[in-house]
Amino acid sequence: FLKKMLFVSISFFSPEINDSEGHPSSSHQTLKGTSKWATSLESLLEDPEGVKRFREFLKKEFSEENVLFWLACEEFKKTQGKKQMQEKAKEIYMTFLSSKASSQVNVEGQSRLSETILETPHPLMFQKLQDQIFNLMKYDSYSRFLKSDIFLNHKKSEEQEENSPEAQTAAKRASRIYNT
């Protein structure tokens, strides 16, 4: 345990650590693509390609509205001006929350959010419902996504790209440049 902690400490504070072949240690390479997506739903949702693949998966599961609602709420939080907020709030309500919504999300307390709240919008007005949807995705859809063909095939193609002769040659050139 102590050796591991010492290694972690050294790795964290010593960016020039290389492996036995003189390449930068893998602990210093920034995670990207599927590796990053697999760390957390939050990481997946920060990556536009990850969102695209997750949406593709959710579409097949007939639950794409969850991520679309989550994304709409994130955008809504950035909205400036009362008029724009009212318009976006109404759009979110009509698309995802109303009983007549075209892409209705399944959230508790949905009926308690009435159209009257749309008159006085605020950036966090959908937060509780957004959190419910996030948790639904995190504890349900996300774990299935990580086992899905969509994720696994994308991961496989990334690995093939990384192991291609062109990628290895570029990595060796970069290694020579930075380790001189």
Side-chain angles (χ1 to χ4, degrees):
F1 174 74
L2 285 175
K3 282 183 181 178
K4 188 175 182 179
M5 288 303 294
L6 182 60
F7 176 75
V8 170
S9 299
I10 291 170
S11 298
F12 184 76
F13 293 109
S14 305
E16 281 82 37
I17 291 179
N18 295 324
D19 65 17
S20 60
E21 296 175 16
H23 299 107
S25 170
S26 62
S27 64
H28 298 293
Q29 295 172 353
T30 308
L31 291 177
K32 59 184 176 189
T34 54
S35 299
K36 186 176 180 186
W37 305 347
T39 60
S40 69
L41 179 58
E42 291 89 338
S43 295
L44 171 72
L45 294 172
E46 288 172 0
D47 182 343
E49 183 66 22
V51 170
K52 179 182 171 187
R53 300 295 175 170
F54 191 48
R55 279 185 63 185
E56 190 180 326
F57 170 75
L58 291 176
K59 195 178 282 186
K60 287 183 176 187
E61 290 213 331
F62 304 101
S63 59
E64 183 187 22
E65 68 277 358
N66 290 335
V67 74
L68 293 176
F69 173 71
W70 188 87
L71 291 166
C73 291
E74 286 298 293
E75 274 303 305
F76 178 75
K77 291 176 192 175
K78 300 173 194 169
T79 305
Q80 301 291 313
K82 187 178 179 186
K83 184 83 173 138
Q84 288 88 339
M85 284 187 102
Q86 284 175 323
E87 289 171 8
K88 277 198 176 189
K90 186 173 183 172
E91 186 180 319
I92 289 172
Y93 181 82
M94 298 308 285
T95 305
F96 301 105
L97 300 171
S98 114
S99 59
K100 298 170 188 149
S102 56
S103 299
Q104 190 178 43
V105 290
N106 186 12
V107 289
E108 294 173 30
Q110 183 175 316
S111 56
R112 283 180 265 155
L113 187 67
S114 68
E115 285 188 61
T116 56
I117 194 170
L118 302 176
E119 298 305 314
T120 55
H122 57 88
L124 300 177
M125 67 188 279
F126 298 115
Q127 189 64 52
K128 194 179 256 185
L129 301 174
Q130 184 185 16
D131 290 345
Q132 283 182 32
I133 292 299
F134 179 84
N135 286 326
L136 177 68
M137 291 189 300
K138 183 175 183 172
Y139 297 110
D140 186 37
S141 310
Y142 175 66
S143 57
R144 284 196 311 280
F145 170 71
L146 295 178
K147 297 172 192 162
S148 73
D149 286 344
I150 291 172
F151 176 80
L152 296 173
N153 290 338
H154 193 73
K155 183 178 181 178
K156 193 177 190 178
S157 68
E158 272 183 357
E159 289 166 355
Q160 287 171 344
E161 251 178 54
E162 286 174 13
N163 294 328
S164 72
E166 298 84 29
Q168 289 177 357
T169 304
K172 285 180 182 173
R173 277 196 306 269
S175 177
R176 282 196 298 270
I177 293 167
Y178 294 112
N179 290 325
T180 54

